[in-house]
Amino acid sequence: MSKQLLRSGTSIGANVSEGERGQTKPDFSTKMSIALKEASETYYWLRLLYKTNYLTEKEFKSMEKDIKEILALLTSICKTAKNNQVTQNIKC
């Protein structure tokens, strides 16, 4: 489980980094969406590790606060990116 947490947690940063260097706006959106999915998976593994007593409540609460913040940021980025793509496709 801890290896899964490591994989999904590090994938968040890797996808954000790739998205920042994306060649197109859809590429950026795709990478941010993947990062959001990985953040969601990371939160799942954190909860599982806590429920199986691999993490103390203090450790879990600290990491939970961080991952919820990351999820909120990525959700906002994805919504904004999606809205920007829709707006740019409208011809006046």
Side-chain angles (χ1 to χ4, degrees), residues 33-87:
S33 179
I34 293 169
L36 178 58
K37 289 177 185 180
E38 293 294 335
S40 181
E41 181 182 341
T42 298
Y43 189 28
Y44 166 79
W45 291 117
L46 283 173
R47 290 190 314 266
L48 191 58
L49 286 167
Y50 173 63
K51 293 291 184 185
T52 56
N53 297 313
Y54 282 94
L55 295 174
T56 66
E57 184 174 1
K58 183 178 178 181
E59 291 169 329
F60 174 71
K61 292 293 181 186
S62 173
M63 288 184 267
E64 181 183 39
K65 181 178 180 263
D66 293 339
I67 196 63
K68 283 184 172 182
E69 209 171 297
I70 291 167
L71 283 164
L73 288 167
L74 288 169
T75 297
S76 179
I77 290 168
C78 288
K79 284 180 181 178
T80 301
K82 183 178 179 182
N83 288 340
N84 287 344
Q85 285 179 348
V86 169
T87 303

Side-chain angles (χ1 to χ4, degrees), residues 7-23:
R7 284 187 197 112
S8 62
T10 55
S11 180
I12 299 166
N15 280 289
V16 168
S17 181
E18 285 183 40
E20 289 174 338
R21 310 291 184 275
Q23 295 177 335

